[in-house]
Amino acid sequence: MSQMQFLNRDGDFVLTGADRAAGSYFPLVNEGGMMSSITPRLAGDCKTGQNTFLLAPCSEQTLHESRATRNFWLSFEDGGLWSAAGQSAAQQAARFTPDADEVTVRGGLLWQTVERRCAARGILAAVTSFVPAGRDTVELMRVQVTNTGAAPVGFTPTAAIPLYGRGADHIRDHRHVTALLQRLRVAADGVVLTQTLTFDERGHLPGEDCYTVYGRTGAGAGPRRCLGTVQDFCGFAGSYDCPAALADPGYTAPWMAPGDTAEGYEMMGVLQFEPVRLEPGASCSWYLALGINCGGETYLDPDAFEGALAGTRRWWQAQNAAAFTGADPDFSAWMRWVGIQPTLRRICGCSFLPHHDYGRGGRGWRDLWQDSLALLLTDPDTVRGDLVRYFAGVRADGTNATLIGREPGDFAADRNNIVRVWMDHGYWPLLTTALYVEQTGDYSILREEQPYFRDNRKFRGEQLSDDPVPAQSGTVLEHLLIQNITAFFDAGEHGSIRLRGADWNDALDMAPDRGESVAFTAAYAGNLQTLAGLCRAMGGTVTLAGEVAALLLTDPGEYTTPQRRNAVRRRYEQVCEHRTLPLRALPAGQVADALERMSDFLRSHLRRTEFVTDGANQCWMNSYYDNNGDRVEGVHGTRVRMMLTGQVFSLMGGVADDEQAGQIARAVDWYLNSPLRGGVCLNTDFGPFGQDTPPLGRQFGFAYGHKENGAVFCHMAVMYAFALYLRGLTAEGAAVLHELYTQSLNFEVAGIFPGIPEYFDPRGRGMYPYLTGAGSWLVYCMLTRCYGVRGERGNLRLDPRLLPDQFAADGTASVTCRFAGRTVTVCYHREDGDCPIEARLNGQVIPAGPDGLCLPRTLLAGDGPLTIDVTLAERRRS
Ligand code: G1P
């Protein structure tokens, strides 16, 4: 049985029985773009991008299928062979017998040590792996072998690393021919692989990348000999887990020395070191560096390796926007892992981990903005520039580029030239920008000027045309207004906004004609209100292109039917790319009034028309119309159809009134809560595909309970919790988060290392770990809602929503985060209630006002860490 336990609040943990966790993996990555994944058996890949894989690309299946994994062999003097990675035919055969190795993983942010103990041999191998923080594109490994037996033990150590050394596409496309391009040379510390040419979607190019496997002993000695090809190592009769070079006494391997070369074959870095003899209790270590355009020789030394490991651990800890304490130390530790997930997605995008076996790097539009929620909580000054640059991806018609490269400002429309508009894309930038403004009080970001994105897609993706579009620009606020107002005017026949290519739910992609997303109509209703609030708080005048001002100030009489709304939109689309009208400076209050009119219109429309019931006790909001123009939710035959997305955004967008909010929470609990699977799921079972399911999207082709078809989808579940907190439904919100947390940490069932996965499958297994927007949302929710530490026009609002059982035994709960350029610890002291009545900082007592506790930013000025003690009590102190 595998069991996981945290060792401290930093998130260090120990997993026993780890050989049973063959499919659980870790990312090891750095800012330089090195991206590795690694399991307790050292499976997983290692690359810097789509075209530069050192170890062959891995999907979740190849993690256990492939034997082409990192390996380190001990050839004992008696002829026996043992793998420190557990990847030998003999160890696999013994896996379920009493002779199985005992395997423990110790891990932390972001390193792992796998301890593998072979009782029969009296041997313990500890393999530590990490990618050093910084820009060196190298993965490091230390193998330490200890003699735990009573007698001396002698063996010859051999590192064996398969070198794929090319682009991911060649796994299937010319795998053999691209091997003919490979050139390998033996150097003093190991092997160097280059290619004469590469050929892929970029064309035929000179091979410029260099893949290396270098190794030294702890005393600094390089390998005594090497092999460079798979054939030479495995032999014709052998395999990676039973290599002829080590296992077949009748086979003489063609060992190589520095200067020797090989070409035209599948390559390996096989580094054999001098034989050792260990007395009882003695240890010996070997250091390895797997590099892509970076040899990493400097790390092949005990001190340098230790130093880099310590630096890496510190770097990852610092990526956390907040450190929480309270009743449950495991929760604090788990949140440390959740807290680095936004950084992982910043580096890996939505590709490059075993479940994320799609895409070619880069990030999607909505993910970019949502990951920034947590990133800006850590470092708003740096994120400010990124946010401003991201706006250059917005087209003048309110749609946007969908693919974002590694560098801010690096945009493209869909790679396959598919014209697809996701109707939710206009929603996310405001959410993030508003958080930035509230945290910092920096309204000037709204007046920053940015260009509009220009390509051949026109009229909300309805046409392709290569007519040149003149360069034009506008303020960030104008970009935001265009995104939200054009969405308002993109009306479907029931008055909600058209679904088009899909919304947040990528798998609702088959209702482009008549589909509507009621859910995101509610979301946009909330956004229009938020925008109005920002304008009022900013004050002064808002300068807009004449065409945009006209769109904004459309007579409300034109809202009344979907046809009229669409006519307004089409008129705008015809003129938006070739602006001719003079700029207009509108009073901010006038802009806000117009936005509020639109928001009110949508809210009252949805409240009036979209609440559905099961005919018994439950009532909630319909989320969609399908491609037949039929309402999706409610009672259909014997089935009740309900989806979570509409509930989230009707709460968040203020569409549901307080009574409806309570009804929604009850209906979600009744129809969507699935405790055995880990929480609130995305939808009820709509039945067999085709027969019962609405024409809405591929999601209904997925088996029920998986991914977008009704899984416990953590991203949406966390947004649901956030919405509940926002609406004052604290206990309900806390319960949703608690379920996700306990499921994530239930290793026996979920099978994932700490962190929150994208979803839990019907068996409760955590899927698509690490690279999910759930990470950013959870940090955002915990900090700004549960602990209630958030900016309000740059001032610090302290408004905790912690339940009594979330405080430590001494009645405290605290969070350390960044605010106003300082490290701030807010420590809540619970006396006899939940209401913040006063704060103490720098020896000063600040009483709460009638609207609660809000500390002016000026009070927080200064350097160095700051502690704010907040008393929570039943009543206001007189
Ligand atoms: C993923 C995608 C996200 C999409 C969601 C639902 O969610 O990254 O863009 O909205 O699926 O289709 P995530 O991985 O962020 O949890």
Side-chain angles (χ1 to χ4, degrees), residues 115-244:
E115 294 173 357
R116 178 172 288 275
R117 197 180 286 272
C118 173
R121 289 266 173 204
I123 280 286
L124 168 69
V127 183
T128 300
S129 301
F130 70 100
V131 163
R135 303 206 69 84
D136 287 345
T137 41
V138 66
E139 178 191 315
L140 304 174
M141 240 169 106
R142 177 182 60 204
V143 184
Q144 185 184 55
V145 178
T146 305
N147 179 358
T148 57
V153 56
F155 58 87
T156 301
T158 309
I161 312 291
L163 275 172
Y164 174 75
R166 63 196 104 154
D169 295 342
H170 296 305
I171 270 287
R172 166 68 187 70
D173 186 12
H174 291 309
R175 168 115 197 199
H176 175 254
V177 169
T178 48
L180 306 182
L181 307 170
Q182 308 282 55
R183 300 289 185 273
L184 181 131
R185 183 173 52 80
V186 177
D189 286 326
V191 303
V192 182
L193 169 66
T194 52
Q195 291 162 301
T196 51
L197 286 172
T198 60
F199 60 91
D200 48 41
E201 61 173 17
R202 300 168 301 172
H204 291 59
L205 297 171
E208 283 176 344
D209 297 307
C210 175
Y211 304 88
T212 42
V213 179
Y214 287 149
R216 284 185 202 151
T217 66
R224 68 165 173 157
R225 55 187 191 173
C226 294
L227 289 174
T229 73
V230 176
Q231 242 175 54
D232 290 345
F233 182 59
C234 295
F236 286 116
S239 56
Y240 282 117
D241 58 357
C242 186

Side-chain angles (χ1 to χ4, degrees), residues 634-712:
V635 180
H636 286 254
T638 55
R639 292 181 191 274
V640 172
R641 292 180 183 173
M642 178 175 180
M643 302 175 92
L644 184 60
T645 314
Q647 318 323 313
V648 170
F649 291 104
S650 61
L651 295 174
M652 221 180 306
V655 168
D657 59 27
D658 286 349
E659 196 191 329
Q660 287 168 326
Q663 288 171 332
I664 283 176
R666 274 194 300 283
V668 170
D669 217 30
W670 185 257
Y671 283 118
L672 298 179
N673 197 8
S674 179
L676 289 180
R677 291 197 277 150
V680 171
C681 64
L682 260 188
N683 51 269
T684 55
D685 186 354
F686 282 25
F689 179 64
Q691 279 171 38
D692 289 348
T693 52
L696 193 58
R698 66 170 189 264
Q699 87 160 51
F700 294 107
F702 300 165
Y704 179 66
H706 293 265
K707 229 168 182 305
E708 281 93 346
N709 189 13
V712 173

Side-chain angles (χ1 to χ4, degrees), residues 345 350 356 358 366-367 370 424 503-507 707-708 713 715 758 771-774:
R345 213 154 69 155
C350 296
H356 297 81
Y358 53 83
R366 71 172 77 86
D367 302 335
Q370 290 174 86
D424 66 309
D503 65 3
W504 168 87
N505 188 334
D506 272 334
K707 229 168 182 305
E708 281 93 346
F713 209 100
H715 187 188
E758 180 181 280
L771 306 182
T772 159

Side-chain angles (χ1 to χ4, degrees), residues 606-627:
L606 297 181
R607 257 183 218 146
R608 239 188 14 257
T609 59
E610 293 297 352
F611 277 81
V612 295
T613 138
D614 63 357
N617 300 316
Q618 307 300 342
C619 174
W620 67 94
M621 197 177 90
N622 172 47
S623 309
Y624 295 97
Y625 284 89
D626 67 19
N627 215 30

Side-chain angles (χ1 to χ4, degrees), residues 265-278:
Y265 289 99
E266 293 286 343
M267 299 299 183
M268 281 193 80
V270 179
L271 279 56
Q272 189 165 79
F273 297 90
E274 289 296 340
V276 291
R277 226 179 139 68
L278 291 179

